[in-house]
Amino acid sequence: MKKIFNREFAIGLSVIVAILILIFGIDFLKGINLFRPAHYYLAYYDNVDELTVSSPVLINGFKVGQVREVNFDYTKPGKVEVVMALDKNLKLPEGTRADIGTTLLSGARIELTMGKGPEMLPTGSELQTGVKEGLMSSVQDGLMPAITGILPKVDSLLYNLNLLVADPALSASIGRLDGITSNLLATTQGLNSTMNNQVPRLANNTVKLTQSLDTIVGNLGQLSYQLKSLPIDATVDNVNQLTANLSQFSRQLNDKNSTLGLLTSDPELYNQLTRVSADIDSLLVDIKKNPKRYISIKLL
């Protein structure tokens, strides 16, 4: 009997310890510290969407407690009772509010706004409640009217886009674009082929032109050397002497006392020469008419 009692006692004790460990483990995972003293306060809400047991209770973003229970109050139809476990050292003055707020990632939470009353609320008191507008609500309230106004325009845009896509002219234009692209590709290939054929020839012509220019430059240098070796001084002296002779001849022509000057400026001499020329001409005419007068031919 003693042996059986010891075995049953050990089994029962193990089960009790396991249950306690399970309870404390669940509470620990929920963030509930059963060994830490706390004060409890009540709050009633019309809607506790996303608010669950172990949701944080914050003051200015700092966690001062958590939700211990969420119960539907059958004595107050439409109300949900929320029990909050707050730090024992926290004192709430009269007028303190417990507003439900939501965040995009962490879900719902209760945010306490400290009142300004002179007296402190006793443990178990009911707090004033409200709901703070979260980020999603702000986005929804701000964007939904704009989205509602845009939807008809989007529908009209999609309708016009469908008409444009279904238009045969668009398909024809795409076909023409394909043709233009093919022509551009062929033109590019032709240009590449032309460049490949003409560039070497152009390079050869450039080399030949450079050689010709070098030859011309060499010839110009040789011509310059030949010009430099010419007796330019003697030539200039001869030209100067010729110029002086021409000047002297011109002076003699203009001088009335010189023979050349008389020939060019004496009118009497000119007239005499004219008469002599006329007489000679008359004589020649007479000789032609009467040759026997001037020429006698005797036959023996």
Side-chain angles (χ1 to χ4, degrees):
M1 288 293 294
K2 186 175 181 180
K3 196 171 186 180
I4 296 175
F5 177 76
N6 290 337
R7 183 184 301 174
E8 292 176 353
F9 178 77
I11 293 173
L13 183 61
S14 300
V15 171
I16 294 173
V17 171
I19 293 173
L20 292 175
I21 292 174
L22 179 62
I23 294 173
F24 281 103
I26 293 174
D27 289 338
F28 177 77
L29 293 175
K30 291 181 179 180
I32 300 173
N33 189 353
L34 297 178
F35 298 100
R36 185 175 181 180
H39 287 167
Y40 294 91
Y41 294 89
L42 302 178
Y44 293 90
Y45 299 95
D46 294 329
N47 189 350
V48 290
D49 188 21
E50 297 184 9
L51 187 70
T52 60
V53 175
S54 74
S55 293
V57 179
L58 309 176
I59 295 179
N60 297 330
F62 182 78
K63 183 178 178 180
V64 295
Q66 58 190 3
V67 175
R68 182 59 61 87
E69 296 180 13
V70 178
N71 302 313
F72 186 80
D73 191 351
Y74 294 96
T75 61
K76 298 179 180 179
K79 295 291 183 180
V80 178
E81 179 186 63
V82 176
V83 180
M84 294 173 288
L86 305 182
D87 194 292
K88 187 176 181 180
N89 296 322
L90 179 64
K91 305 295 183 182
L92 301 180
E94 293 179 350
T96 300
R97 294 179 56 84
D99 299 323
I100 294 180
T102 57
T103 59
L104 188 62
L105 298 177
S106 60
R109 61 190 181 179
I110 294 179
E111 299 181 5
L112 296 180
T113 303
M114 304 298 285
K116 299 181 180 180
E119 300 293 335
M120 297 297 171
L121 294 173
T123 300
S125 299
E126 180 181 345
L127 303 180
Q128 299 178 15
T129 60
V131 177
K132 280 192 174 182
E133 190 173 298
L135 178 61
M136 293 303 297
S137 299
S138 301
V139 171
Q140 182 178 359
D141 295 339
L143 291 181
M144 286 307 296
I147 293 175
T148 303
I150 291 174
L151 284 178
K153 298 179 181 179
V154 173
D155 183 64
S156 176
L157 179 62
L158 291 176
Y159 176 74
N160 293 329
L161 184 60
N162 289 330
L163 291 179
L164 179 63
V165 172
D167 192 354
L170 181 61
S171 300
S173 299
I174 294 175
R176 286 193 291 270
L177 287 176
D178 292 337
I180 292 172
T181 304
S182 301
N183 293 333
L184 288 175
L185 181 60
T187 303
T188 303
Q189 292 175 351
L191 287 174
N192 291 333
S193 177
T194 303
M195 292 295 291
N196 293 331
N197 295 330
Q198 295 298 329
V199 168
R201 184 180 301 174
L202 181 61
N204 294 330
N205 293 334
T206 303
V207 172
K208 293 180 180 179
L209 178 61
T210 303
Q211 294 174 353
S212 300
L213 289 175
D214 292 338
T215 303
I216 293 172
V217 171
N219 294 334
L220 288 175
Q222 185 177 0
L223 177 62
S224 175
Y225 177 76
Q226 292 176 357
L227 289 174
K228 185 177 179 181
S229 62
L230 289 175
I232 296 179
D233 294 337
T235 303
V236 172
D237 293 338
N238 293 332
V239 171
N240 291 333
Q241 186 176 1
L242 178 62
T243 303
N245 293 332
L246 288 175
S247 298
Q248 184 178 2
F249 180 72
S250 177
R251 284 195 302 271
Q252 290 178 358
L253 286 176
N254 294 326
D255 189 3
K256 295 181 180 180
N257 297 322
S258 64
T259 303
L260 292 176
L262 291 174
L263 290 174
T264 57
S265 62
D266 189 0
E268 184 63 25
L269 179 60
Y270 175 75
N271 292 330
Q272 290 179 2
L273 290 174
T274 302
R275 285 195 296 270
V276 170
S277 177
D279 292 341
I280 293 173
D281 184 63
S282 298
L283 180 59
L284 291 174
V285 172
D286 188 60
I287 289 172
K288 288 181 180 181
K289 289 182 179 181
N290 303 301
K292 294 179 179 182
R293 186 183 296 177
Y294 301 97
I295 301 173
S296 59
I297 300 174
K298 293 181 179 182
L299 300 174
L300 299 178

